PDB file of all heavy atoms in Angstrom:
ATOM      1  N   TRP L   7      60.113  43.669  53.990  1.00 94.00           N
ATOM      2  CA  TRP L   7      59.892  44.499  52.798  1.00 94.00           C
ATOM      3  C   TRP L   7      60.088  43.664  51.529  1.00 94.00           C
ATOM      4  O   TRP L   7      59.256  43.671  50.616  1.00 94.00           O
ATOM      5  CB  TRP L   7      60.856  45.683  52.834  1.00 94.00           C
ATOM      6  CG  TRP L   7      60.790  46.622  51.677  1.00 94.00           C
ATOM      7  CD1 TRP L   7      59.688  46.968  50.949  1.00 94.00           C
ATOM      8  CD2 TRP L   7      61.871  47.352  51.108  1.00 94.00           C
ATOM      9  NE1 TRP L   7      60.031  47.882  49.968  1.00 94.00           N
ATOM     10  CE2 TRP L   7      61.369  48.132  50.055  1.00 94.00           C
ATOM     11  CE3 TRP L   7      63.224  47.444  51.416  1.00 94.00           C
ATOM     12  CZ2 TRP L   7      62.167  48.966  49.294  1.00 94.00           C
ATOM     13  CZ3 TRP L   7      64.015  48.284  50.660  1.00 94.00           C
ATOM     14  CH2 TRP L   7      63.490  49.035  49.618  1.00 94.00           C
ATOM     15  N   ILE L   8      61.197  42.945  51.473  1.00 90.00           N
ATOM     16  CA  ILE L   8      61.481  42.102  50.301  1.00 90.00           C
ATOM     17  C   ILE L   8      60.378  41.068  50.107  1.00 90.00           C
ATOM     18  O   ILE L   8      59.924  40.829  48.989  1.00 90.00           O
ATOM     19  CB  ILE L   8      62.860  41.411  50.449  1.00 90.00           C
ATOM     20  CG1 ILE L   8      63.990  42.425  50.388  1.00 90.00           C
ATOM     21  CG2 ILE L   8      63.053  40.308  49.417  1.00 90.00           C
ATOM     22  CD1 ILE L   8      64.107  43.152  49.064  1.00 90.00           C
ATOM     23  N   LEU L   9      59.939  40.454  51.207  1.00 90.00           N
ATOM     24  CA  LEU L   9      58.918  39.416  51.111  1.00 90.00           C
ATOM     25  C   LEU L   9      57.575  39.954  50.627  1.00 90.00           C
ATOM     26  O   LEU L   9      56.756  39.202  50.108  1.00 90.00           O
ATOM     27  CB  LEU L   9      58.739  38.730  52.464  1.00 90.00           C
ATOM     28  CG  LEU L   9      59.874  37.798  52.865  1.00 90.00           C
ATOM     29  CD1 LEU L   9      59.755  37.426  54.338  1.00 90.00           C
ATOM     30  CD2 LEU L   9      59.889  36.554  51.988  1.00 90.00           C
ATOM     31  N   GLN L  10      57.346  41.249  50.788  1.00 92.00           N
ATOM     32  CA  GLN L  10      56.084  41.842  50.344  1.00 92.00           C
ATOM     33  C   GLN L  10      56.176  42.445  48.942  1.00 92.00           C
ATOM     34  O   GLN L  10      55.230  43.093  48.482  1.00 92.00           O
ATOM     35  CB  GLN L  10      55.612  42.886  51.364  1.00 92.00           C
ATOM     36  CG  GLN L  10      55.111  42.241  52.653  1.00 92.00           C
ATOM     37  CD  GLN L  10      54.627  43.245  53.669  1.00 92.00           C
ATOM     38  OE1 GLN L  10      55.231  43.412  54.707  1.00 92.00           O
ATOM     39  NE2 GLN L  10      53.539  43.919  53.373  1.00 92.00           N
ATOM     40  N   GLN L  11      57.275  42.218  48.249  1.00 89.00           N
ATOM     41  CA  GLN L  11      57.423  42.725  46.889  1.00 89.00           C
ATOM     42  C   GLN L  11      56.900  41.702  45.893  1.00 89.00           C
ATOM     43  O   GLN L  11      57.166  40.502  46.018  1.00 89.00           O
ATOM     44  CB  GLN L  11      58.895  43.028  46.572  1.00 89.00           C
ATOM     45  CG  GLN L  11      59.511  44.077  47.469  1.00 89.00           C
ATOM     46  CD  GLN L  11      58.719  45.357  47.480  1.00 89.00           C
ATOM     47  OE1 GLN L  11      58.490  45.979  46.456  1.00 89.00           O
ATOM     48  NE2 GLN L  11      58.270  45.752  48.668  1.00 89.00           N
ATOM     49  N   PRO L  12      56.138  42.155  44.900  1.00 88.00           N
ATOM     50  CA  PRO L  12      55.632  41.223  43.886  1.00 88.00           C
ATOM     51  C   PRO L  12      56.788  40.546  43.147  1.00 88.00           C
ATOM     52  O   PRO L  12      57.787  41.180  42.839  1.00 88.00           O
ATOM     53  CB  PRO L  12      54.849  42.124  42.922  1.00 88.00           C
ATOM     54  CG  PRO L  12      54.789  43.470  43.544  1.00 88.00           C
ATOM     55  CD  PRO L  12      55.776  43.533  44.652  1.00 88.00           C
ATOM     56  N   GLY L  13      56.634  39.277  42.924  1.00 83.00           N
ATOM     57  CA  GLY L  13      57.639  38.548  42.167  1.00 83.00           C
ATOM     58  C   GLY L  13      58.773  37.971  42.987  1.00 83.00           C
ATOM     59  O   GLY L  13      59.555  37.171  42.486  1.00 83.00           O
ATOM     60  N   VAL L  14      58.895  38.348  44.238  1.00 79.00           N
ATOM     61  CA  VAL L  14      59.950  37.789  45.091  1.00 79.00           C
ATOM     62  C   VAL L  14      59.354  36.593  45.821  1.00 79.00           C
ATOM     63  O   VAL L  14      58.414  36.735  46.603  1.00 79.00           O
ATOM     64  CB  VAL L  14      60.482  38.822  46.114  1.00 79.00           C
ATOM     65  CG1 VAL L  14      61.502  38.183  47.037  1.00 79.00           C
ATOM     66  CG2 VAL L  14      61.085  40.013  45.395  1.00 79.00           C
ATOM     67  N   THR L  15      59.907  35.424  45.544  1.00 76.00           N
ATOM     68  CA  THR L  15      59.375  34.218  46.173  1.00 76.00           C
ATOM     69  C   THR L  15      60.360  33.570  47.136  1.00 76.00           C
ATOM     70  O   THR L  15      59.959  32.828  48.013  1.00 76.00           O
ATOM     71  CB  THR L  15      58.980  33.172  45.113  1.00 76.00           C
ATOM     72  OG1 THR L  15      60.119  32.864  44.312  1.00 76.00           O
ATOM     73  CG2 THR L  15      57.858  33.697  44.230  1.00 76.00           C
ATOM     74  N   ALA L  16      61.643  33.857  46.986  1.00 77.00           N
ATOM     75  CA  ALA L  16      62.635  33.222  47.838  1.00 77.00           C
ATOM     76  C   ALA L  16      63.864  34.122  47.982  1.00 77.00           C
ATOM     77  O   ALA L  16      64.849  33.942  47.285  1.00 77.00           O
ATOM     78  CB  ALA L  16      63.046  31.873  47.265  1.00 77.00           C
ATOM     79  N   PRO L  17      63.813  35.094  48.901  1.00 74.00           N
ATOM     80  CA  PRO L  17      64.996  35.941  49.096  1.00 74.00           C
ATOM     81  C   PRO L  17      66.147  35.117  49.668  1.00 74.00           C
ATOM     82  O   PRO L  17      65.931  34.169  50.424  1.00 74.00           O
ATOM     83  CB  PRO L  17      64.531  36.999  50.096  1.00 74.00           C
ATOM     84  CG  PRO L  17      63.392  36.379  50.805  1.00 74.00           C
ATOM     85  CD  PRO L  17      62.742  35.443  49.824  1.00 74.00           C
ATOM     86  N   ILE L  18      67.345  35.462  49.292  1.00 78.00           N
ATOM     87  CA  ILE L  18      68.536  34.779  49.807  1.00 78.00           C
ATOM     88  C   ILE L  18      68.949  35.505  51.077  1.00 78.00           C
ATOM     89  O   ILE L  18      69.299  36.684  51.046  1.00 78.00           O
ATOM     90  CB  ILE L  18      69.672  34.785  48.770  1.00 78.00           C
ATOM     91  CG1 ILE L  18      69.219  34.047  47.523  1.00 78.00           C
ATOM     92  CG2 ILE L  18      70.938  34.173  49.360  1.00 78.00           C
ATOM     93  CD1 ILE L  18      70.154  34.170  46.351  1.00 78.00           C
ATOM     94  N   ILE L  19      68.907  34.814  52.210  1.00 76.00           N
ATOM     95  CA  ILE L  19      69.146  35.490  53.477  1.00 76.00           C
ATOM     96  C   ILE L  19      70.581  35.393  53.964  1.00 76.00           C
ATOM     97  O   ILE L  19      71.021  36.209  54.740  1.00 76.00           O
ATOM     98  CB  ILE L  19      68.185  34.997  54.576  1.00 76.00           C
ATOM     99  CG1 ILE L  19      68.330  33.495  54.788  1.00 76.00           C
ATOM    100  CG2 ILE L  19      66.766  35.377  54.233  1.00 76.00           C
ATOM    101  CD1 ILE L  19      67.625  32.978  55.997  1.00 76.00           C
ATOM    102  N   GLY L  20      71.339  34.397  53.547  1.00 81.00           N
ATOM    103  CA  GLY L  20      72.747  34.305  53.921  1.00 81.00           C
ATOM    104  C   GLY L  20      72.997  34.191  55.415  1.00 81.00           C
ATOM    105  O   GLY L  20      73.921  34.791  55.934  1.00 81.00           O
ATOM    106  N   ALA L  21      72.159  33.441  56.116  1.00 85.00           N
ATOM    107  CA  ALA L  21      72.336  33.272  57.560  1.00 85.00           C
ATOM    108  C   ALA L  21      73.571  32.427  57.839  1.00 85.00           C
ATOM    109  O   ALA L  21      73.705  31.323  57.338  1.00 85.00           O
ATOM    110  CB  ALA L  21      71.106  32.620  58.165  1.00 85.00           C
ATOM    111  N   SER L  22      74.485  32.967  58.647  1.00 90.00           N
ATOM    112  CA  SER L  22      75.680  32.216  59.025  1.00 90.00           C
ATOM    113  C   SER L  22      75.723  31.922  60.520  1.00 90.00           C
ATOM    114  O   SER L  22      76.592  31.200  60.987  1.00 90.00           O
ATOM    115  CB  SER L  22      76.944  32.982  58.611  1.00 90.00           C
ATOM    116  OG  SER L  22      76.967  34.249  59.244  1.00 90.00           O
ATOM    117  N   LYS L  23      74.766  32.490  61.248  1.00 92.00           N
ATOM    118  CA  LYS L  23      74.660  32.266  62.689  1.00 92.00           C
ATOM    119  C   LYS L  23      73.193  32.093  63.033  1.00 92.00           C
ATOM    120  O   LYS L  23      72.320  32.624  62.344  1.00 92.00           O
ATOM    121  CB  LYS L  23      75.237  33.460  63.466  1.00 92.00           C
ATOM    122  CG  LYS L  23      76.709  33.688  63.199  1.00 92.00           C
ATOM    123  CD  LYS L  23      77.218  34.907  63.935  1.00 92.00           C
ATOM    124  CE  LYS L  23      78.683  35.100  63.555  1.00 92.00           C
ATOM    125  NZ  LYS L  23      79.221  36.332  64.063  1.00 92.00           N
ATOM    126  N   MET L  24      72.930  31.380  64.106  1.00 93.00           N
ATOM    127  CA  MET L  24      71.552  31.112  64.499  1.00 93.00           C
ATOM    128  C   MET L  24      70.727  32.395  64.689  1.00 93.00           C
ATOM    129  O   MET L  24      69.575  32.441  64.237  1.00 93.00           O
ATOM    130  CB  MET L  24      71.506  30.257  65.765  1.00 93.00           C
ATOM    131  CG  MET L  24      70.100  29.819  66.122  1.00 93.00           C
ATOM    132  SD  MET L  24      69.222  28.947  64.794  1.00 93.00           S
ATOM    133  CE  MET L  24      69.901  27.323  64.985  1.00 93.00           C
ATOM    134  N   PRO L  25      71.259  33.481  65.298  1.00 91.00           N
ATOM    135  CA  PRO L  25      70.454  34.700  65.416  1.00 91.00           C
ATOM    136  C   PRO L  25      70.027  35.277  64.064  1.00 91.00           C
ATOM    137  O   PRO L  25      68.937  35.838  63.947  1.00 91.00           O
ATOM    138  CB  PRO L  25      71.372  35.672  66.163  1.00 91.00           C
ATOM    139  CG  PRO L  25      72.282  34.793  66.952  1.00 91.00           C
ATOM    140  CD  PRO L  25      72.497  33.580  66.078  1.00 91.00           C
ATOM    141  N   HIS L  26      70.855  35.111  63.031  1.00 89.00           N
ATOM    142  CA  HIS L  26      70.479  35.576  61.691  1.00 89.00           C
ATOM    143  C   HIS L  26      69.242  34.819  61.206  1.00 89.00           C
ATOM    144  O   HIS L  26      68.315  35.414  60.653  1.00 89.00           O
ATOM    145  CB  HIS L  26      71.607  35.363  60.690  1.00 89.00           C
ATOM    146  CG  HIS L  26      72.866  36.092  61.001  1.00 89.00           C
ATOM    147  ND1 HIS L  26      74.059  35.778  60.394  1.00 89.00           N
ATOM    148  CD2 HIS L  26      73.138  37.102  61.861  1.00 89.00           C
ATOM    149  CE1 HIS L  26      75.010  36.572  60.850  1.00 89.00           C
ATOM    150  NE2 HIS L  26      74.467  37.384  61.754  1.00 89.00           N
ATOM    151  N   LEU L  27      69.260  33.516  61.416  1.00 91.00           N
ATOM    152  CA  LEU L  27      68.137  32.681  60.991  1.00 91.00           C
ATOM    153  C   LEU L  27      66.883  33.024  61.791  1.00 91.00           C
ATOM    154  O   LEU L  27      65.782  33.103  61.238  1.00 91.00           O
ATOM    155  CB  LEU L  27      68.488  31.203  61.134  1.00 91.00           C
ATOM    156  CG  LEU L  27      67.464  30.216  60.599  1.00 91.00           C
ATOM    157  CD1 LEU L  27      67.192  30.448  59.130  1.00 91.00           C
ATOM    158  CD2 LEU L  27      67.940  28.796  60.842  1.00 91.00           C
ATOM    159  N   GLU L  28      67.049  33.262  63.093  1.00 92.00           N
ATOM    160  CA  GLU L  28      65.908  33.615  63.940  1.00 92.00           C
ATOM    161  C   GLU L  28      65.279  34.942  63.490  1.00 92.00           C
ATOM    162  O   GLU L  28      64.059  35.073  63.478  1.00 92.00           O
ATOM    163  CB  GLU L  28      66.342  33.681  65.401  1.00 92.00           C
ATOM    164  CG  GLU L  28      66.671  32.306  65.971  1.00 92.00           C
ATOM    165  CD  GLU L  28      67.408  32.357  67.300  1.00 92.00           C
ATOM    166  OE1 GLU L  28      67.847  33.454  67.729  1.00 92.00           O
ATOM    167  OE2 GLU L  28      67.559  31.284  67.906  1.00 92.00           O
ATOM    168  N   GLU L  29      66.107  35.900  63.113  1.00 90.00           N
ATOM    169  CA  GLU L  29      65.577  37.180  62.612  1.00 90.00           C
ATOM    170  C   GLU L  29      64.839  36.991  61.295  1.00 90.00           C
ATOM    171  O   GLU L  29      63.807  37.616  61.060  1.00 90.00           O
ATOM    172  CB  GLU L  29      66.700  38.198  62.436  1.00 90.00           C
ATOM    173  CG  GLU L  29      67.162  38.806  63.737  1.00 90.00           C
ATOM    174  CD  GLU L  29      68.040  40.009  63.506  1.00 90.00           C
ATOM    175  OE1 GLU L  29      69.181  39.814  63.041  1.00 90.00           O
ATOM    176  OE2 GLU L  29      67.563  41.126  63.786  1.00 90.00           O
ATOM    177  N   ALA L  30      65.382  36.138  60.443  1.00 89.00           N
ATOM    178  CA  ALA L  30      64.729  35.883  59.157  1.00 89.00           C
ATOM    179  C   ALA L  30      63.366  35.238  59.368  1.00 89.00           C
ATOM    180  O   ALA L  30      62.392  35.614  58.715  1.00 89.00           O
ATOM    181  CB  ALA L  30      65.612  35.001  58.282  1.00 89.00           C
ATOM    182  N   VAL L  31      63.276  34.310  60.284  1.00 92.00           N
ATOM    183  CA  VAL L  31      62.001  33.655  60.576  1.00 92.00           C
ATOM    184  C   VAL L  31      61.025  34.672  61.177  1.00 92.00           C
ATOM    185  O   VAL L  31      59.842  34.697  60.819  1.00 92.00           O
ATOM    186  CB  VAL L  31      62.200  32.437  61.502  1.00 92.00           C
ATOM    187  CG1 VAL L  31      60.878  31.896  62.002  1.00 92.00           C
ATOM    188  CG2 VAL L  31      62.986  31.349  60.771  1.00 92.00           C
ATOM    189  N   ALA L  32      61.500  35.531  62.068  1.00 93.00           N
ATOM    190  CA  ALA L  32      60.649  36.556  62.675  1.00 93.00           C
ATOM    191  C   ALA L  32      60.100  37.518  61.619  1.00 93.00           C
ATOM    192  O   ALA L  32      58.980  38.018  61.749  1.00 93.00           O
ATOM    193  CB  ALA L  32      61.418  37.325  63.739  1.00 93.00           C
TER     194      ALA L  32
END
């Protein structure tokens, strides 16, 4: 949702574990 908002180019995801990063990539 955030990535599809106009003007948002780099949301801060705050991944602290590999599954967090995997979800962000997905």
Side-chain angles (χ1 to χ4, degrees):
W7 179 33
I8 292 296
L9 287 167
Q10 288 181 248
Q11 299 306 302
V14 176
T15 58
I18 299 171
I19 59 169
S22 59
K23 298 178 183 172
M24 187 55 81
H26 299 165
L27 186 58
E28 290 166 350
E29 283 193 290
V31 170

